[in-house]
Amino acid sequence: MSERETIVVIGAGVVGLSTALCIQQHLRPSQSVLLIAREFPSDTSVNYASPWAGGHYRPVPGSSPQALREANQAQRTYEFFKRVATEEPAAGVKFLPGIEHLEAPPPEYLDRQSVRNVYFHLDEFRYLSGDELPDGVLWGVEYGTYVVNSPVYCAHMLRKFILKGGSTKRYTMAHLNEAFSIAANVKTVINCSGLGFDDPKSFIIRGQTCLVRNPVSATITRQNTDGSWSFCIPRPLDGGTVIGGTKQPHDWDPNPSPEIRARLLENASKWFPFTPESRGKFDVIQDIVGRRPAREGGMRIEVEKLGNGKQIVHAYGAGGRGFELSWGVAEDTAALMLENGLLREKAVL
């Protein structure tokens, strides 16, 4: 009888959790999955971005190969979240209106084909007419989208993974090759570690947001004339509302800035339709700082063959789009493994 094979997935962020769940559908009877991570959904760390995230889907127009690849991954994730919202109410996913207001729209937003590439699959997508746009806004759209209570969703995914037979191990890895020795008969390692390991193209993007108790009925994103962005993302299951946010590449400061918090809340009180009883005041739960794991040129999704029948499947570098791309990336990773004979074709339902 051949020795049981262990497939190791590194990283319990939303991409790692999604990938571990996705490949469970294609395991041979002789295979099992071990999820290794430094942090798990019950943990909080500035370096563990997924539970901090303001998870929602807002398309990013573009015509480059990377933009089109991400649009395809995002579309599949959108359909996946639509099913989750209907079939798994405890997952912390809800569909509601998504609204965008841009004061200085970049060229790709004015290009109909770029917009078509990433927006037209969305339920009830429409351009906002001039009389629907707030003062100062030149471009606006509305569509059906999802919002995610990110800590609830990550815990839900982990629980499903374990109930389906997956195992976990808390471990801080110094090198990818450690994964081949961490369990018996490891031939395949899936690298969902966010930043990869010593990838010179990887970098962090600091994000600061503010979690408040004030409710809001839509997720709204506003691009300001100075190029900055403001957004509000309600978290389902009474999780409050995330107000954001910043994108600060290569900024390693772990401390929330009071000045940034004041600016975020001031903008939110001007632009977002919080319920009247708020009176422009916010009941702050906490300031949030997280490091989004980004990568020049977009995510790395490829198989690296090491010889001796061992391979690493890379799937990292989603930056601030982890939730938006998560299930599409998981499917692409599983497809790569199927192409290379590392899983079985027929899904286990």
Side-chain angles (χ1 to χ4, degrees), residues 101-106 136-137 221-230:
H101 293 148
L102 275 63
E103 294 182 356
V137 172
T221 304
R222 182 166 176 135
Q223 179 238 31
N224 312 315
T225 306
D226 63 4
S228 63
W229 294 78
S230 302

Side-chain angles (χ1 to χ4, degrees), residues 128-332:
L128 297 178
S129 59
D131 59 353
E132 294 177 285
L133 298 176
D135 289 345
V137 172
L138 301 181
W139 186 95
V141 293
E142 181 177 0
Y143 46 84
T145 192
Y146 58 79
V147 290
V148 184
N149 187 326
S150 45
V152 169
Y153 179 73
C154 288
H156 176 81
M157 297 283 275
L158 179 62
R159 185 167 61 249
K160 282 184 66 173
F161 169 73
I162 292 169
L163 288 173
K164 290 176 180 291
S167 302
T168 63
K169 182 179 179 68
R170 185 185 297 272
Y171 187 77
T172 301
M173 296 185 58
H175 195 281
L176 266 175
N177 287 348
E178 280 186 271
F180 290 101
S181 305
I182 209 151
N185 196 27
V186 178
K187 297 175 182 175
T188 304
V189 171
I190 306 173
N191 176 19
C192 300
S193 59
L195 288 171
F197 284 80
D198 301 319
D199 182 340
K201 292 185 176 181
S202 290
F203 63 98
I204 60 107
I205 301 174
R206 180 186 185 276
Q208 181 173 331
T209 60
C210 192
L211 181 63
V212 301
R213 291 185 176 87
N214 308 57
V216 71
S217 59
T219 177
I220 303 175
T221 304
R222 182 166 176 135
Q223 179 238 31
N224 312 315
T225 306
D226 63 4
S228 63
W229 294 78
S230 302
F231 58 78
C232 63
I233 303 172
R235 281 183 166 178
L237 304 178
D238 298 320
T241 300
V242 175
I243 294 174
T246 68
K247 292 183 179 180
Q248 299 162 281
H250 310 286
D251 186 333
W252 289 87
D253 186 353
N255 303 300
S257 158
E259 293 78 16
I260 289 175
R261 178 215 261 209
R263 186 174 76 245
L264 296 179
L265 296 183
E266 180 187 1
N267 287 344
S269 67
K270 286 190 296 189
W271 293 327
F272 303 142
F274 286 92
T275 49
E277 64 269 21
S278 296
R279 296 188 182 88
K281 305 291 184 186
F282 292 98
D283 186 358
V284 176
I285 299 172
Q286 69 183 120
D287 295 297
I288 295 172
V289 175
R291 293 173 180 150
R292 307 178 184 105
R295 186 173 181 273
E296 295 170 20
M299 288 195 75
R300 183 184 184 190
I301 304 176
E302 63 182 8
V303 175
E304 179 184 357
K305 296 185 185 294
L306 303 181
N308 303 321
K310 295 179 178 179
Q311 48 265 309
I312 299 171
V313 184
H314 296 284
Y316 65 86
R321 304 199 74 195
F323 280 85
E324 294 172 294
L325 306 181
S326 55
W327 197 255
V329 169
E331 289 183 338
D332 288 349

Side-chain angles (χ1 to χ4, degrees), residues 59-68 71 108-109 111 113-115 117-118:
V60 179
S63 303
S64 68
Q66 177 192 341
L68 295 176
E108 56 269 24
Y109 285 87
D111 180 82
Q113 187 57 50
S114 290
V115 171
N117 290 341
V118 298

Side-chain angles (χ1 to χ4, degrees), residues 109-126:
Y109 285 87
L110 304 177
D111 180 82
R112 285 270 170 169
Q113 187 57 50
S114 290
V115 171
R116 179 183 294 274
N117 290 341
V118 298
Y119 281 97
F120 275 33
H121 67 279
L122 299 171
D123 295 342
E124 301 171 12
F125 170 82
R126 68 184 186 92

